[in-house]
Amino acid sequence: VSKLIPYKQLETLNELAYTVNKRNGNTVYIREETAGYQPYLVVDNDYNGDGNVLLLRKYVLDEWQTYHIYYQQTAYYENSNLDDYLSNVYLNTLPEELRASIVQSRIEIIAMSAYQGENSDTIQIERKAFLLSCTEMAPRGSGYIHEGKPLKYFDDDVNRMQVTMENGQKSGWWLRTPSMGYPTCAIAIGSDGRLGFAAVDNYIGIRPAFCLPGDVGIDESKEAVPGEKVYVIK
């Protein structure tokens, strides 16, 4: 007769991470200003080797965005419309106390010189909120200059790239990676969960990502999802 494993309530965000224990649910709820409690996937407990926990919004934001406002702009991530939106609009929808806990993450992006065909260089920029890269999502299907390291969460199951809006409608979503062969296009995940690219002035869904220290406290709550016990950040 198999022995029952006693229930243990988790206490820190680190314990929820997919890379720590796949069976812990890997989801924490965060109360956003306009959207109420929203589920975030706890994807990795050591993002980019910095010892911080990576969170990714489960659903795309209701408000879709363009990579750049004008078609003729190149798909360079730093200071793009998406970069500015995440830093100046999205972050302000999160609770003030949580914003103070979000760390400045070092993210790797393709350098402008590489984008212009001069080399294969990447640079690192620091951001509190950012988009994932093609390498992080689908390293075997990219063929692009590597930006960051593959995330086990998606490498274990490529079907996890498919996402919906909160209402269940399938949606595509932007990655931060430019399409090297098409100057005014960037890489995105289609509504079918496959890699593709789109012109930078297209409106597509956004899944914000950010990092928190692993020792951030979590607690069980029935307030986030009525009738269901889920984890929320203390």
Side-chain angles (χ1 to χ4, degrees):
V1 179
S2 60
K3 295 182 178 179
L4 293 176
I5 301 174
Y7 170 76
K8 177 184 180 295
Q9 181 174 330
L10 307 183
E11 298 178 351
T12 66
L13 193 59
N14 186 78
E15 295 174 271
L16 267 182
Y18 179 82
T19 46
V20 172
N21 191 331
K22 301 175 185 179
R23 295 176 295 180
N24 279 343
N26 314 125
T27 304
V28 68
Y29 280 74
I30 294 172
R31 185 168 194 145
E32 296 177 356
E33 184 178 275
T34 56
Y37 278 105
Q38 291 294 319
Y40 279 74
L41 303 175
V42 190
V43 175
D44 194 281
N45 72 316
D46 188 21
Y47 183 64
N48 283 343
D50 288 339
N52 296 310
V53 174
L54 174 67
L55 277 69
L56 175 68
R57 200 178 195 270
K58 182 176 180 178
Y59 304 117
V60 300
L61 295 172
D62 287 342
E63 187 177 351
W64 291 8
Q65 293 292 322
T66 61
Y67 195 105
H68 277 300
I69 297 173
Y70 302 111
Y71 173 72
Q72 63 266 32
Q73 288 185 288
T74 60
Y76 182 66
Y77 183 72
E78 186 177 17
N79 299 323
S80 64
N81 180 57
L82 293 177
D83 187 23
D84 290 343
Y85 179 85
L86 290 171
S87 296
N88 300 314
V89 179
Y90 164 71
L91 280 177
N92 288 328
T93 68
L94 302 178
E96 184 176 354
E97 188 175 350
L98 177 66
R99 292 202 306 269
S101 299
I102 296 176
V103 300
Q104 288 276 7
S105 294
R106 295 180 298 112
I107 63 170
E108 190 173 18
I109 66 170
I110 293 173
M112 178 61 81
S113 56
Y115 186 79
Q116 294 170 339
E118 299 170 9
N119 49 48
S120 299
D121 290 348
T122 61
I123 62 171
Q124 290 189 342
I125 60 175
E126 291 191 353
R127 292 293 186 272
K128 282 197 167 189
F130 50 91
L131 298 184
L132 297 182
S133 74
C134 189
T135 303
E136 292 169 334
M137 294 294 305
R140 291 187 296 271
S142 65
Y144 298 91
I145 299 170
H146 284 190
E147 301 165 285
K149 299 177 181 178
L151 293 169
K152 189 172 178 60
Y153 181 84
F154 296 101
D155 203 25
D156 283 349
D157 186 353
V158 295
N159 292 324
R160 291 180 175 140
M161 292 196 297
Q162 189 174 52
V163 73
T164 68
M165 301 178 65
E166 189 177 2
N167 63 10
Q169 178 184 340
K170 292 181 180 179
S171 171
W173 52 292
W174 285 114
L175 301 181
R176 67 176 186 260
T177 304
S179 175
M180 302 300 285
Y182 300 89
T184 56
C185 294
I187 306 301
I189 306 296
S191 58
D192 59 358
R194 297 182 180 183
L195 284 171
F197 60 88
V200 294
D201 62 341
N202 281 5
Y203 282 85
I204 300 178
I206 306 176
R207 292 181 78 184
F210 60 83
C211 288
L212 289 168
D215 60 359
V216 166
I218 58 175
D219 205 355
E220 288 185 328
S221 170
K222 289 185 178 180
E223 180 184 353
V225 182
E228 184 178 342
K229 190 180 291 185
V230 297
Y231 283 105
V232 297
I233 291 177
K234 285 186 178 179

